[in-house]
């Protein structure tokens, strides 16, 4: 997912305006519709409301059918028109910032929700309706980002020193961020160029969707191309086989090699889409006054500019290089032992043989660990951790009919011991056909202080791809799955606890390079015996996970860590070159080959 940049969805689907009172909504005691979180995930059937009252997705009444997206979109666009008029006629003061935030919220409430539904809903009609709504709202957002009159109302506020000095720091910061969105969208350009910027933004959005869909399409081949003894690894369709991924964990070298070469075989449409996407991003950046798209994308982050990123990657790469070479040598030795005829280390070998090394050196076969990590136990572990650290409890809440898109989705209420209900997390944890294999966090609704003094509760979705429970066995997680669950829960807690007056900066709506900090912090808790010991119990015997097994697991993470980080450095370096100086001197594939061999160290495979 790092390679597909799909993990950006771990951050909010917030578009910039960029789509980009009371502390809690009634201090609710524990509701009668809530039940303990662990039990809800080990239960076979999800409970819907006994009353059976119909509603729409996420409790939005319009979204009981795909056509409801048109209605929700029209309402949002109508509300935004009224707010634009209001902003343009309001004198400089804090109310301007509040109106801008309401405007951002009105659009994001539909766009963020649609951003999730368009990739995750099992019904194609819902996905298509959501995609159309996303596109229309995004077009409106880009138009607003180049609306001179709207910008002028904000500029007057920022220019009024007396009023600005009277604002609290949060309001001042949000006002500056809204102005930043205008500036990077080309508000300073003449009318013709502003229109061009809007059209480029919309085209980029379409190309992004097209490219991401293309990366996930299975490849169909005549099965006779491959040796018969490996056919069973792929989905058969008559005389054809479907290769739907890299099969990185498969112990058969030939299967991994075949999957890699077939799944990554050049696709003319996909390459053309990528080239147009990169060229369009560069045109947009230069049109609005940046040297490259990388300069535009990094402004406002902790890294600030491509030069800082390049220095960081270079320094990191220098310090890793010797250790990475040692890691590759260790993997080569293991491969030589298991496959003497073909011992050269190739890109499809790295994930598999680093796993073999870890398992061999520390005896960490996932099968030994899974029985201790039932999903229910892990959720109780998170609940206990949040209670001790933050005074927060998670409760499973009944859903109404129509509120969720799949019957195995669970809804969690996040409740603070003093503040009451903080928000909701919808847990879409289980595999299903056509669901993306991507672990990520979506903001569906941002928190903010409403005009009536009540707090608009945040709503998020966590999406994982866990196996279903069986008749005799609950859902069991591998150590990697458990760590991913903790990571994504870090994003969810960031969304619940990052309570701000304005939704434009709520939760994970922060600099993108900071947004991973709370989630990565949670990984440290997932690898600490003092935490794991509180919840890891064998699902049959109740026996706790032995301390030495936790120690072995933690130590094993250091094996091949340099090579793993070097791979991420390669992805990052490639990203910087693609979004750096244009026109690119070579094709995207030639740049990939050159960067892979220089930065990563394993050879590029021809025709990938």
């Amino acid at each position: 997912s790092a390679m597909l940049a799909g993990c950006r969805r771990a951050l909010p689907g917030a578009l910039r305006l960029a789509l980009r009172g009371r502390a809690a909504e009634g201090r609710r005691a524990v509701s009668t519709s809530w039940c303990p979180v662990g039990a809800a995930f080990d239960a076979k059937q999800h409970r819907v409301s006994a009353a059976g009252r119909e509603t729409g997705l996420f409790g939005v009444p319009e979204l009981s059918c795909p056509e409801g997206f048109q209605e929700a979109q029209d309402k949002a666009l109508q509300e935004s028109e009224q707010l634009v008029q209001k902003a343009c006629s309001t004198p400089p003061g804090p109310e301007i910032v509040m109106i801008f935030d309401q405007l951002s919220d009105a659009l994001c409430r539909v766009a963020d929700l649609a951003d999730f539904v368009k990739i995750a809903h099992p019904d194609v009609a819902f996905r298509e309706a959501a995609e159309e709504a996303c596109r229309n709202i995004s077009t409106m957002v880009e138009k607003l980002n180049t609306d001179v009159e709207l910008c002028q109302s904000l500029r007057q506020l920022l220019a009024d020193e007396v009023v600005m000095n009277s604002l609290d720091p949060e309001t001042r910061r949000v006002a500056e961020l809204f102005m930043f969105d205008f500036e990077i969208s080309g508000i300073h350009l003449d009318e013709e160029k502003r229109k061009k910027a809007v059209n480029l933004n919309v085209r980029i959005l379409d190309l992004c969707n097209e490219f991401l869909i293309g990366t996930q399409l299975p490849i169909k081949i005549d099965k006779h191309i491959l040796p018969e003894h490996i056919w069973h690894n792929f989905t058969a369709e008559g005389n054809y086989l479907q290769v739907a991924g890299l099969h990185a964990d498969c112990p058969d070298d030939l299967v991994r090699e075949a999957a890699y070469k077939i799944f990554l075989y050049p696709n003319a449409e996909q390459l053309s889409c990528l080239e147009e996407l990169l060229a369009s991003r560069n045109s947009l950046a230069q049109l609005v006054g940046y040297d490259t798209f990388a300069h535009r994308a990094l402004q406002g982050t902790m890294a600030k500019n491509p030069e800082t990123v390049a220095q960081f990657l270079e320094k990191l790469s220098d310090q890793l290089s010797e250790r990475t070479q040692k890691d590759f040598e260790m993997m080569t030795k293991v491969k030589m032992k298991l496959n003497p005829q073909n011992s050269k280390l190739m890109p499809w070998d790295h994930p598999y043989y680093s796993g073999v090394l870890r398992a061999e050196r520390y005896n960490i076969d996932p099968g030994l660990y899974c029985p201790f990590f039932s999903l229910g136990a892990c959720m109780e572990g998170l609940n206990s951790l949040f209670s001790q650290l933050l005074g927060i409890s998670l409760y499973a809440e009944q859903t109404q009919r129509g509120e969720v898109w799949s019957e195995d989705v669970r809804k969690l209420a996040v409740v603070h011991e003093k503040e009451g209900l903080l928000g909701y997390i919808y847990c879409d944890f289980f595999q299903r056909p056509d669901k993306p294999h991507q672990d990520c966090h979506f903001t569906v609704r941002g928190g903010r202080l409403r005009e009536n003094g009540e707090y608009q509760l945040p709503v998020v979705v966590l999406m994982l791809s866990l196996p279903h429970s069986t008749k005799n066995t609950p859902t069991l997680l591998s150590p990697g799955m458990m760590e991913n669950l903790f990571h994504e829960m870090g994003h969810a807690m960031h969304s619940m606890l990052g309570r701000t007056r304005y939704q434009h900066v709520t939760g994970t709506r922060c600099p993108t390079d900071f947004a991973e900090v709370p989630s990565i912090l949670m990984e440290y808790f997932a690898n600490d015996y003092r935490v794991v010991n509180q919840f890891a119990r064998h699902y049959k015997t109740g026996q706790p996970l032995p301390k030495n097994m936790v120690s072995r697991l933690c130590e094993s993470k250091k094996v091949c860590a340099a090579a793993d980080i070097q791979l991420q450095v390669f992805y990052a370096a490639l990203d910087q070159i693609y979004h750096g100086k244009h026109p690119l001197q070579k094709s995207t594939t030639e740049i990939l080959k050159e960067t892979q061999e220089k930065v990563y160290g394993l050879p590029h495979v021809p025709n990938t």
Side-chain angles (χ1 to χ4, degrees):
S1 67
M3 202 163 190
L4 303 182
C7 53
R8 271 288 57 79
R9 288 205 177 92
L11 310 179
L15 300 145
R16 292 167 305 109
L17 200 79
L19 241 1
R20 179 124 119 139
R22 287 193 294 273
E25 202 169 51
R27 301 206 168 168
R28 293 173 61 174
V30 176
S31 160
T32 52
S33 69
W34 291 345
C35 74
V37 68
F41 285 91
D42 280 343
K44 292 282 181 289
Q45 273 302 321
H46 187 39
R47 302 180 303 158
V48 292
S49 167
R53 188 166 60 81
E54 288 284 342
T55 185
L57 291 172
F58 298 103
V60 178
E62 298 94 326
L63 300 185
S64 56
C65 60
E67 295 72 27
F69 269 105
Q70 182 71 47
E71 196 183 331
Q73 169 200 303
D74 292 347
K75 267 188 186 176
L77 295 176
Q78 197 178 349
E79 188 184 341
S80 66
E81 275 176 36
Q82 292 165 356
L83 288 164
V84 168
Q85 289 170 8
K86 193 175 174 185
C88 293
S89 59
T90 301
E95 197 188 348
I96 287 281
V97 183
M98 205 162 75
I99 296 166
F100 266 77
D101 194 64
Q102 285 172 259
L103 179 54
S104 181
D105 182 59
L107 295 166
C108 284
R109 274 203 316 271
V110 178
D112 287 348
L113 193 154
D115 199 40
F116 168 71
V117 172
K118 76 179 185 186
I119 73 153
H121 203 289
D123 183 338
V124 69
F126 264 104
R127 292 202 299 269
E128 286 172 356
E131 181 149 355
E132 182 63 18
C134 240
R135 191 176 191 279
N136 294 336
I137 296 276
S138 303
T139 304
M140 168 56 90
V141 164
E142 296 307 340
K143 284 179 179 169
L144 290 176
N145 277 333
T146 53
D147 184 315
V148 175
E149 196 184 350
L150 183 63
C151 178
Q152 192 53 30
S153 67
L154 187 63
R155 195 166 267 146
Q156 283 171 351
L157 168 66
L158 291 166
D160 192 323
E161 217 173 296
V162 176
V163 177
M164 283 300 284
N165 287 337
S166 71
L167 300 180
D168 62 273
E170 189 181 353
T171 303
R172 212 162 39 235
R173 176 77 182 128
V174 171
E176 288 162 357
L177 285 171
F178 278 124
M179 182 51 75
F180 172 68
D181 290 329
F182 279 119
E183 287 165 355
I184 66 167
S185 300
I187 194 67
H188 51 287
L189 303 172
D190 61 40
E191 190 177 354
E192 193 183 327
K193 285 179 178 170
R194 288 199 309 274
K195 277 184 183 165
K196 189 180 176 185
V198 169
N199 292 336
L200 273 169
N201 265 309
V202 173
R203 181 66 187 139
I204 286 165
L205 191 76
D206 288 343
L207 288 164
C208 280
N209 280 332
E210 194 184 315
F211 184 77
L212 276 171
I213 288 165
T215 60
Q216 295 179 30
L217 290 176
I219 310 296
K220 207 156 119 174
I221 57 151
D222 184 328
K223 66 181 179 186
H224 298 100
I225 291 171
L226 295 178
E228 194 173 339
H229 72 274
I230 67 167
W231 288 358
H232 68 276
N233 291 280
F234 307 103
T235 307
E237 249 183 50
N239 279 327
Y240 294 94
L241 294 174
Q242 270 201 3
V243 180
L246 297 177
H247 291 255
D249 296 328
C250 181
D252 188 328
D253 283 0
L254 187 59
V255 172
R256 292 196 314 280
E257 179 179 352
Y260 189 93
K261 288 178 173 176
I262 294 164
F263 193 65
L264 298 182
Y265 191 78
N267 173 317
E269 283 177 23
Q270 189 74 342
L271 287 168
S272 161
C273 175
L274 175 61
E275 279 157 19
E276 191 188 343
L277 172 59
L278 296 177
S280 300
R281 283 174 167 173
N282 182 68
S283 298
L284 174 66
Q286 295 201 324
L287 180 66
V288 300
Y290 291 89
D291 289 348
T292 67
F293 186 81
H295 283 88
R296 181 179 184 266
L298 286 163
Q299 193 169 345
T301 63
M302 295 192 297
K304 292 189 171 56
N305 56 55
E307 293 74 28
T308 310
V309 173
Q311 283 170 13
F312 169 70
L313 293 176
E314 202 175 315
K315 203 176 269 190
L316 182 56
S317 207
D318 285 348
Q319 295 199 15
L320 286 169
S321 70
E322 270 185 44
R323 302 176 214 200
T324 300
Q325 281 315 308
K326 282 179 185 165
D327 287 351
F328 286 153
E329 284 163 17
M330 286 194 300
M331 289 185 230
T332 305
K333 279 179 189 169
V334 176
K335 185 174 182 179
M336 204 181 290
K337 195 166 71 177
L338 297 174
N339 187 357
Q341 289 81 31
N342 184 8
S343 60
K344 188 180 180 186
L345 198 68
M346 298 300 284
W348 54 80
D349 292 323
H350 175 169
Y352 176 71
Y353 284 112
S354 59
V356 170
L357 268 167
R358 287 182 193 110
E360 273 187 3
R361 195 172 291 183
Y362 290 101
N363 187 23
I364 52 150
D365 173 6
L368 298 172
Y369 285 83
C370 291
F372 293 90
F373 295 138
S374 76
L375 178 56
C378 292
M379 292 304 294
E380 281 298 353
L382 282 161
N383 194 27
S384 167
L385 181 64
F386 294 148
S387 173
Q388 292 169 69
L389 289 179
L390 308 166
I392 278 174
S393 298
L394 305 173
Y395 296 97
E397 181 170 304
Q398 289 180 2
T399 53
Q400 304 289 338
R401 291 183 194 281
E403 184 179 347
V404 293
W405 48 100
S406 178
E407 63 176 11
D408 55 17
V409 173
R410 305 288 189 266
K411 179 184 181 182
L412 301 185
V414 180
V415 184
H416 188 267
E417 59 193 4
K418 289 179 183 161
E419 300 285 328
L421 182 62
L422 295 185
Y424 290 106
I425 303 169
Y426 287 83
C427 300
D428 186 356
F429 282 176
F430 301 102
Q431 294 164 351
R432 62 173 173 270
D434 291 337
K435 182 180 173 183
H437 287 280
Q438 227 173 289
D439 294 349
C440 42
H441 161 276
F442 292 82
T443 298
V444 170
R445 184 177 73 189
R448 72 182 181 102
L449 192 62
R450 288 196 184 117
E451 298 66 58
N452 63 4
E454 288 187 350
Y455 199 79
Q456 173 174 295
L457 296 178
V459 174
V460 304
V461 177
L462 293 190
M463 191 163 82
L464 305 174
S465 294
L466 302 178
H468 283 273
S469 56
T470 63
K471 190 179 171 187
N472 302 315
T473 315
T475 293
L476 300 177
L477 278 59
S478 68
M481 289 172 181
M482 185 270 284
E483 192 175 276
N484 281 1
L485 171 63
F486 271 65
H487 177 101
E488 298 306 335
M489 267 292 180
H491 286 305
M493 282 299 118
H494 190 176
S495 289
M496 296 297 125
L497 296 165
R499 290 164 77 81
T500 50
R501 189 184 319 171
Y502 303 105
Q503 73 84 38
H504 195 63
V505 290
T506 192
T508 56
R509 301 203 206 286
C510 61
T512 49
D513 46 5
F514 178 75
E516 293 299 316
V517 172
S519 51
I520 288 170
L521 179 62
M522 283 300 295
E523 293 180 23
Y524 284 85
F525 285 103
N527 290 300
D528 191 304
Y529 179 72
R530 294 166 297 177
V531 176
V532 176
N533 182 49
Q534 291 185 30
F535 70 87
R537 297 283 181 278
H538 197 287
Y539 76 98
K540 279 183 180 170
T541 64
Q543 173 204 351
L545 183 65
K547 188 170 184 177
N548 71 333
M549 283 181 73
V550 181
S551 304
R552 292 204 311 264
L553 188 62
C554 295
E555 282 302 307
S556 73
K557 290 180 192 299
K558 297 172 189 172
V559 176
C560 299
D564 293 346
I565 298 173
Q566 192 72 55
L567 179 60
Q568 297 299 322
V569 172
F570 157 52
Y571 293 155
L574 185 67
D575 190 33
Q576 292 295 312
I577 297 167
Y578 281 168
H579 294 96
K581 203 163 176 54
H582 275 244
L584 297 172
Q585 298 305 302
K586 298 175 180 173
S587 75
T588 53
T589 303
E590 285 169 326
I591 293 168
L592 167 74
K593 176 183 188 296
E594 205 172 86
T595 312
Q596 179 168 331
E597 291 175 353
K598 180 185 165 191
V599 180
Y600 180 34
L602 292 186
H604 175 260
V605 180
N607 291 315
T608 61

